Amino acid sequence: MSLGQSGRLIWKLAKNDFKNRYAGSYFGRIWAFVQPVVTVLLYWFVFGHVMMQDKKEILTAGVEAPYVLWLTAGLVPWFYFSEALNNGTTSLMEYSYLVKKVVFRISIIPVVKLIAALFTHLFFVCFLLAVYFCYGYKPEIYLLQLPYYTLCIFMLVLALSYSTCAIVIFFRDLLQIINICLQAGMWATPILWNISLLGDGTLLQRILKCNPLFYIVDGYRNAMFGRKWFWEDMGATVYFWVVTAALFVIGAHIFNRLKVHFADVL
């Protein structure tokens, strides 16, 4: 199969996956957008209006943008990461009928699931921009970095998915472990609070910044209102891509070692 044929097949499967995900439900694909929007609104209501002012100031110390915008800029990439990782992990089980085909290139299946999740993510990037403009911000050249950070998160999740989709076939408990890690990861990234609370250069802050997702979430925020280019912190950029490349190497090794047994177990 040529590269062009593979690309067309991935695109076709991704569109079908997105269309069929909510097939049979009354509102169909609308559900793909409702839950994240409701989540953003709930966080905004609780942290923006319900929480006592002194406690809110603790969480948002150092945030110069409106909290709802700062929060949304973190939640949008996080939603994609969590959805894509879960979908990528279960991709081979969901498409088991393709895995059992001798001539099918099964390595494209995780890519299909991640592209299908990308449709929802692009909608929420537009939602994020709508919030951005509603708060009176004007379009700036820094917004051109959003596609770059979208590529970053896509590549990171894909690298992880090659490992997880192969392992979960033999160890189904991995799904529960991933869900627990995602719950903890939302606070460790961090999404709801500002990492500057820990103080610049502290050991805990340096540890949390080792999380490659911090690079992406911080990048979305810098592109929106931080007025900072990704190459201005070249150390963090190089670190992110080195980690992502290492995860790809590990994922490819695990995937290739286990794929000969996929059909037997599925």
Side-chain angles (χ1 to χ4, degrees):
M1 183 181 295
S2 67
L3 184 60
Q5 290 174 324
S6 296
R8 287 191 292 270
L9 177 60
I10 290 172
W11 181 249
K12 182 178 180 180
L13 289 173
K15 288 194 298 183
N16 289 337
D17 184 274
F18 180 73
K19 290 178 181 178
N20 296 332
R21 190 180 309 170
Y22 299 95
S25 62
Y26 188 77
F27 290 102
R29 280 163 278 173
I30 294 177
W31 291 117
F33 311 106
V34 170
Q35 183 177 352
V37 169
V38 171
T39 302
V40 171
L41 293 177
L42 284 174
Y43 279 127
W44 168 71
F45 178 72
V46 171
F47 290 101
H49 298 279
V50 176
M51 182 173 286
M52 299 296 292
Q53 185 65 29
D54 56 342
K55 294 181 179 179
K56 184 170 67 174
E57 288 177 355
I58 293 175
L59 284 177
T60 61
V63 178
E64 297 180 359
Y67 182 68
V68 64
L69 177 59
W70 182 86
L71 174 65
T72 307
L75 286 174
V76 167
W78 177 260
F79 284 151
Y80 176 71
F81 176 79
S82 56
E83 179 187 6
L85 182 59
N86 277 312
N87 291 351
T89 298
T90 59
S91 59
L92 296 182
M93 294 189 293
E94 186 173 340
Y95 285 92
S96 58
Y97 62 95
L98 293 178
V99 175
K100 295 176 182 178
K101 287 188 176 183
V102 178
V103 296
F104 190 81
R105 187 178 175 185
I106 61 174
S107 60
I108 70 172
I109 294 178
V111 182
V112 168
K113 299 296 291 186
L114 268 59
I115 292 178
L118 195 60
F119 296 144
T120 307
H121 177 67
L122 294 179
F123 165 82
F124 280 103
V125 170
C126 294
F127 174 79
L128 174 60
L129 290 173
V131 175
Y132 178 81
F133 295 131
C134 284
Y135 271 91
Y137 285 84
K138 297 179 180 179
E140 295 194 19
I141 194 170
Y142 298 98
L143 293 175
L144 295 176
Q145 296 179 101
L146 290 177
Y148 165 73
Y149 286 111
T150 299
L151 173 65
C152 288
I153 197 168
F154 180 88
M155 298 302 290
L156 176 63
V157 181
L158 183 59
L160 291 170
S161 294
Y162 275 121
S163 295
T164 58
C165 73
I167 295 173
V168 76
I169 293 175
F170 305 93
F171 182 61
R172 302 298 173 94
D173 291 346
L174 180 62
L175 281 172
Q176 307 307 320
I177 295 173
I178 289 175
N179 287 329
I180 293 173
C181 290
L182 287 173
Q183 291 177 10
M186 189 174 198
W187 291 95
T189 298
I191 304 297
L192 302 177
W193 58 280
N194 192 355
I195 199 171
S196 64
L197 289 172
L198 301 176
D200 292 336
T202 61
L203 177 60
L204 182 55
Q205 187 186 76
R206 291 199 298 270
I207 292 174
L208 292 180
K209 285 185 176 182
C210 289
N211 176 3
L213 264 178
F214 172 81
Y215 173 78
I216 295 170
V217 171
D218 195 51
Y220 270 74
R221 288 167 173 164
N222 284 333
M224 299 296 295
F225 42 79
R227 295 179 176 86
K228 182 179 179 181
W229 295 103
F230 68 89
W231 58 75
E232 292 183 40
D233 190 354
M234 188 55 67
T237 299
V238 171
Y239 170 79
F240 171 82
W241 286 109
V242 168
V243 170
T244 302
L247 291 172
F248 256 114
V249 171
I250 296 170
H253 176 71
I254 293 174
F255 190 91
N256 290 329
R257 285 291 299 272
L258 298 179
K259 70 178 180 181
V260 294
H261 305 291
F262 290 164
D264 297 332
V265 177
L266 291 172

